[in-house]
Amino acid sequence: MSATLSLDDFKGALGSWASGVTIVTTELNGLVYGITVSSFSSLSVDPVLVLVSLADTNHLPRMIRESGRFAISILSAGQENVSKYFATSGREPAPAFDPSIPTETWLTGCPLIPGAIAQIDCELHQALPGGDHTIVIGRVVGARFDPERSPLIYFRRAYRSLAEG
Ligand SMILES: Cc1cc2nc3c(=O)[nH]c(=O)nc-3n(C[C@H](O)[C@H](O)[C@H](O)COP(=O)(O)O)c2cc1C
């Protein structure tokens, strides 16, 4: 930080950014791992690229570098329990997630969350250093969405839903 910037102000300002909530996963040698991620963004149309920013304290950036692929599920309203599960510490890469969190696979074999508002399968395009995070850029190999669902929203450390109108 600096004399003019406190960590509280930094976090408060960034928490003012209302975002969707995604689950980013990969699969490597029969082991799965995934975390809750809000730092998702579209990046490019030609080529078709998206990005997420992943803390280097997590297993995920290293696993994605090795597996060369990952999946993104954009959560629907009502999937807070899924977000909370994947935001919990201490889940080592394991043969499967908790049975209460069902998953499915599509093109890359990485776990996707059923009932998500959108699912995106990616091959790793580039992994770039970004401070204490890794900026993981994916080339989208498949994307599908459910126009009938509403998104889960995260704002000021609380889960919200869209107020239509
Ligand atoms: C709504 C929400 C958004 C998050 N977004 C990110 C993110 O963009 N990148 C990231 O590395 N971690 C993010 N996290 C934290 C990870 O989910 C969390 O660090 C991970 O599950 C492992 O927990 P641990 O870091 O306490 O071990 C987010 C958590 C929540 C609840």
Side-chain angles (χ1 to χ4, degrees):
M1 292 298 119
S2 71
T4 54
L5 178 63
S6 72
L7 188 57
D8 282 350
D9 287 344
F10 178 69
K11 287 184 172 177
L14 271 56
S16 304
W17 173 247
S19 70
V21 182
T22 76
I23 306 301
V24 179
T25 65
T26 195
E27 188 275 340
L28 178 66
N29 301 328
L31 296 179
V32 290
Y33 190 66
I35 66 169
T36 303
V37 167
S38 57
S39 60
F40 162 78
S41 178
S42 57
L43 178 61
S44 162
V45 175
D46 184 16
V48 186
L49 302 176
V50 296
L51 71 80
V52 289
S53 150
L54 305 176
D56 292 326
T57 48
N58 285 310
H59 297 279
L60 194 55
R62 194 173 58 255
M63 286 185 72
I64 291 175
R65 272 201 176 91
E66 285 188 44
S67 70
R69 58 209 166 92
F70 61 101
I72 301 167
S73 301
I74 302 177
L75 296 184
S76 301
Q79 292 190 307
E80 292 98 332
N81 65 318
V82 180
S83 176
K84 286 175 186 165
Y85 172 78
F86 284 100
T88 305
S89 321
R91 289 169 303 97
E92 296 302 308
F97 298 124
D98 187 294
S100 68
I101 308 287
T103 57
E104 58 194 9
T105 59
W106 187 24
L107 301 171
T108 63
C110 299
L112 287 158
I113 306 298
I117 190 169
Q119 298 177 326
I120 302 168
D121 253 335
C122 298
E123 285 173 358
L124 177 62
H125 178 75
Q126 228 175 343
L128 305 170
D132 55 10
H133 282 52
T134 297
I135 302 162
V136 175
I137 300 175
R139 188 175 63 78
V140 177
V141 295
R144 55 189 180 183
F145 65 99
D146 183 344
E148 301 301 319
R149 292 184 190 276
S150 292
L152 180 63
I153 305 291
Y154 195 70
F155 175 63
R156 295 207 168 124
R157 308 183 72 178
Y159 294 99
R160 325 260 180 161
S161 52
L162 285 184
E164 303 290 346

